[in-house]
Amino acid sequence: MPRARPEAAFIRAETRLRPVPLVPEISLHVADEAVPIWHRTEEELGELGLPPPFWAFAWAGGQALARHVLDHPETVRSKRVLDFASGSGLVGIAAMKAGAAAVTCADIDPFAVAAIALNGDANGVVLSPVQDDLIGRDEGWDTVLAGDIAYERDLAEKVFAWLLALAARGACVLIGDPGRTYLPKDRLTKLAEYSVPVTRELEDMEIKRTAVWRPA
């Protein structure tokens, strides 16, 4: 079996740097198609059944959240920010461009951590990528940003309990979501809504109505 390439080399080889549709101020290393890069990631690691390469696409919730942060920089300006389940680092990049003091981009996927660093460099910002599951922890962040986290029931229950606790102690918590099944709308307040261009490979339509929420 050939030796696996470092994650950053794999990402450079398998993606292209492109502007984000709703946030053209930011460019990301993205894949052309979901299934081929998913299979190539499995081949690279010699593993089957890996999760989708969330880092290789600009998902609707992240796009809406990044747009909102850039348009409302007061949510992050001079603050310590966590971009949770960061994926590509899109939301964290937006936070740095909007004037955040520091941004931690957390994801459990080593490819995502590499993509976050590459995308930060491509956009001229310094991020702090962390490969860790931070659910339940509190490191004193002023603002916590989370996009596309309500797609699986058990995970969503854990994440939202944690986010609501962070909000209760005073953190500004913002959530980007395109209508996923497990979003607890009864516990949230909608701040804004966007029409987000997405690929039909990932979503059920080419324009996804996507909202930004905060705990009620």
Side-chain angles (χ1 to χ4, degrees), residues 104-190:
T104 298
C105 293
D107 204 288
I108 59 173
D109 185 342
F111 284 91
V113 172
I116 290 161
L118 286 173
N119 289 327
D121 288 346
N123 290 277
V125 301
V126 177
L127 303 169
S128 297
V130 173
Q131 185 184 342
D132 202 355
D133 179 359
L134 298 182
I135 298 171
R137 285 158 57 179
D138 186 351
E139 297 185 5
W141 307 288
D142 303 303
T143 300
V144 178
L145 307 171
D148 293 289
I149 53 169
Y151 56 86
E152 196 274 328
R153 183 174 61 188
D154 292 343
L155 176 62
E157 287 178 358
K158 287 172 57 180
V159 170
F160 279 101
W162 171 57
L163 292 177
L164 292 169
L166 291 173
R169 69 92 168 137
C172 171
V173 174
L174 299 177
I175 299 147
D177 185 88
R180 305 287 185 217
T181 302
Y182 301 108
L183 183 75
K185 292 182 181 178
D186 59 325
R187 305 173 75 183
L188 304 173
T189 298
K190 185 187 292 187

Side-chain angles (χ1 to χ4, degrees), residues 16-177:
R16 288 194 284 173
L17 192 63
R18 292 178 174 161
V20 176
L22 192 69
V23 198
E25 305 96 317
I26 295 173
S27 294
L28 299 176
H29 289 86
V30 294
D32 291 321
E33 299 177 279
V35 173
I37 194 170
W38 194 346
H39 289 166
R40 287 195 292 273
T41 304
E42 292 182 326
E43 291 166 2
E44 188 76 8
L45 295 177
E47 295 182 42
L48 296 176
L50 293 176
F54 294 114
W55 55 267
F57 302 93
W59 294 79
Q63 289 197 55
L65 195 49
R67 180 75 270 155
H68 189 76
V69 165
L70 286 173
D71 292 344
H72 299 86
E74 68 279 1
T75 59
V76 298
R77 186 183 293 123
S78 302
K79 295 179 179 179
R80 293 178 60 234
V81 176
L82 172 65
D83 175 16
F84 172 72
S86 182
S88 66
L90 168 59
V91 178
I93 292 166
M96 285 301 295
K97 284 184 171 290
V103 177
T104 298
C105 293
D107 204 288
I108 59 173
D109 185 342
F111 284 91
V113 172
I116 290 161
L118 286 173
N119 289 327
D121 288 346
N123 290 277
V125 301
V126 177
L127 303 169
S128 297
V130 173
Q131 185 184 342
D132 202 355
D133 179 359
L134 298 182
I135 298 171
R137 285 158 57 179
D138 186 351
E139 297 185 5
W141 307 288
D142 303 303
T143 300
V144 178
L145 307 171
D148 293 289
I149 53 169
Y151 56 86
E152 196 274 328
R153 183 174 61 188
D154 292 343
L155 176 62
E157 287 178 358
K158 287 172 57 180
V159 170
F160 279 101
W162 171 57
L163 292 177
L164 292 169
L166 291 173
R169 69 92 168 137
C172 171
V173 174
L174 299 177
I175 299 147
D177 185 88

